[in-house]
Amino acid sequence: MKKPELLIPASSLEVLKAAVIFGADAVYIGGEAFGLRAKAKNFSLEDMKAGIAFAHEYGVKVYVTANILAHNQDLEGIRTYFEELRKLRPDALIIADPGVFLLAKEICPEIERHISTQANNTNYLTYRFWKEQGAKRVVSARELTLSELRELRANIPADLEIETFIHGAMCISYSGRCLLSNYFTGRDANQGACTHPCRWKYAVVEETRPGEYFPVYENERGSYIFNSKDLCMIEHIPDLLEAGIDSFKIEGRMKTALYVATAARTYRKAIDDCLKSEELYREHMDWYREQISGCTYREFTTGFFYGKPDENSQIYGNNTYIKGYTYLGIVNGLDERGYCRIEQRNKFSVGDEIEIMKPDGSNVPVRVEELLDEEGNRMESAPHPKQKLFVRLSGEAAAFDLLRRQEQGPAWPII
């Protein structure tokens, strides 16, 4: 079977580097405008240039999102943006809007054009249409089954690529085209400003009895009637390979480096094992399950891949995440004493038992033996996010290793 691309999200230069080191074949990023994650950190043009150079040094591709549904006032800004991107030479642009597609084709024709899932790509004639316009790849709608994807592959040109989401949060609306945020808050999800009202708590109010709230389902905490479980296909890699998908895509362009590294490392090993032999893949299933549960998530589902989801794919009682690990920081290098240089992300203290998470799949339990600030002053704990520290550990770390602390065990099985 053809080896698929593993496509990983990145919200910042730090996260991009983690994705590359931990197994991505390609990463997708957003600039400071015209993508659908306006609340993410996103990339300045300077960081984008550095990120593209870093990824290309490791043979990893970089795709830039420009997938808003553009209004008239957006077009001149997009034109200028594409002129700037042409100089940076990313490997592809991810586009949903036909007008934006035309601008990309005119301004930077040498950069591949990929059609976003926001374009609602649900049938092989749509794929053929975009091929005729000059698209290299089409991202399938999340509402497609594996059977439909196999039929797509059989009815489109061999050189037209299929990209499909296989892991991460699911929008409750059709392929992400949601109006809830705009309606409730005036922030348009289709312009990148989603406030995620699908995760809010809802109740029914009868119009003649204002203030009397009736849960949609009998539950004293209310009902999260739009709150989908997260997609996870780690148990079904053979089916994905057999469907002829060219790119396996992980959702999460607002996630941390720990989430990205965990997803990249786990799916990298699962794909590679399965391509060697399905028996080897099955032997390592417990490891995949344990590792992927280290990502922050909302319980797991297989989405639409095996048919229409039912009530078991929703979470009605709460909107909280399951958190297996806390991200402490990424090792930026070692000083002459062997101390790790990190920019801390969450609080930890001298004496804490933590883990070094390595790209090769190993997790090394260690103890925090000493903490120093930038001036070399000893500290008992590091309470301030983004503080630069030197850390002495009881085990050996290397550049780009991640430091994490376990919070709880995995929750399984997938529904």
Side-chain angles (χ1 to χ4, degrees), residues 330-349:
I330 190 169
V331 177
N332 295 318
L334 304 177
D335 69 8
E336 64 280 358
R337 302 165 296 178
Y339 285 39
C340 301
R341 293 194 304 271
I342 74 164
E343 186 177 88
Q344 174 235 2
R345 288 295 180 267
N346 285 287
K347 180 181 178 180
F348 65 103
S349 304

Side-chain angles (χ1 to χ4, degrees), residues 42-55:
N42 292 319
F43 282 71
S44 65
L45 289 173
E46 182 179 349
D47 280 352
M48 197 178 289
K49 180 179 180 180
I52 292 170
F54 182 88

